[in-house]
Amino acid sequence: MSREKILAAIKANQPEKTDLPDLDILNALTATEGSLVQQYTTIASAGGSFVYEVADFEAIKSILQKEFKPGVKIISGIKELKDYTFAEDVAHELAHSFADVELAILPSYLGVAENGALWLTETQMNVRVLPFISQHLAVVINRNDLMPTMAQAYDKIGNADYGYGAFISGPSKTADIEQSLVIGAHGPRSLSVFILT
């Protein structure tokens, strides 16, 4: 069968167009703000993330000081966490210079409760490779930035101007070889999510 015949057959057998789901109804049916944190925590934890509800940035610093040895390379994209190397100050460096980053701390302004995903744009990453090359990743999000469903998240970012962006959920993991789970195979070995309450 020629290429033209295949394309013509596909064109002739298109499904009927249907309206997109009414997100107003979805908004009314989904969880309230109060339960979003609980739902997000349950789902993200099941995916291997460590989720902390914290009151402020001092609480985040306290947890990080317990979890990471002094002297390791930590880069923060959050001005309130200025004890660490500020991401904007090293954004001009070559990607290879980030190979020894132990922890990257980045903000997110959109989280999805139904799957534990966090939306990060290039602006929040500062350096595109940073959330993927660091040994560990921490993301800080305000509880008011959690949304119930992925459909609602896409509705929010659909027409936004962000260039590059990625949904990140849980630590990097794969089990494609003999179904043996490997954590940190292609990215961070852990994801800590700090929800500012």
Side-chain angles (χ1 to χ4, degrees):
M1 183 179 279
S2 71
R3 178 177 181 271
E4 287 73 24
K5 286 184 179 178
I6 294 171
L7 293 176
I10 293 172
K11 189 174 183 180
N13 291 290
Q14 292 294 308
E16 289 184 25
K17 290 186 178 180
T18 57
D19 293 332
L20 292 172
D22 184 351
L23 291 181
D24 290 336
I25 294 174
L26 187 60
N27 290 337
L29 294 175
T30 51
T32 62
E33 179 188 323
S35 64
L36 284 180
V37 173
Q38 183 181 4
Q39 183 184 2
Y40 180 88
T41 300
T42 301
I43 299 298
S45 298
S49 298
F50 302 104
V51 182
Y52 305 90
E53 289 182 54
V54 293
D56 53 31
F57 289 99
E58 289 302 316
I60 296 173
K61 288 179 190 176
S62 177
I63 293 169
L64 293 178
Q65 286 170 357
K66 291 177 186 172
E67 297 293 327
F68 292 91
K69 298 175 185 174
V72 298
K73 190 171 185 178
I74 297 176
I75 296 179
S76 169
I78 299 173
K79 289 183 179 178
E80 289 83 352
L81 297 173
K82 56 188 175 187
D83 294 349
Y84 312 108
T85 302
F86 190 45
E88 277 186 20
D89 295 339
V90 294
H92 63 282
E93 294 184 10
L94 295 175
H96 294 287
S97 67
F98 302 105
D100 59 345
V101 174
E102 186 70 10
L103 173 67
I105 312 165
L106 301 172
S108 172
Y109 303 113
L110 177 59
V112 184
E114 74 171 351
N115 61 8
L118 298 159
W119 173 245
L120 277 80
T121 67
E122 193 164 25
T123 301
Q124 292 146 10
M125 296 177 190
N126 289 284
V127 180
R128 191 180 287 191
V129 74
L130 204 51
F132 309 105
I133 199 170
S134 61
Q135 289 294 314
H136 304 274
L137 176 64
V139 177
V140 180
I141 186 168
N142 190 295
R143 66 178 296 149
N144 296 325
D145 292 329
L146 294 176
M147 303 197 82
T149 67
M150 203 66 176
Q152 291 160 309
Y154 275 120
D155 186 51
K156 183 174 181 177
I157 65 173
N159 294 320
D161 182 18
Y162 47 79
Y164 175 78
F167 279 104
I168 296 176
S169 179
S172 168
K173 49 188 174 291
T174 182
D176 60 346
I177 299 175
E178 297 182 354
Q179 297 182 343
S180 177
L181 181 62
V182 177
I183 302 291
H186 309 296
R189 291 185 286 156
S190 74
L191 172 62
S192 297
V193 182
F194 295 98
I195 301 175
L196 288 168
T197 57

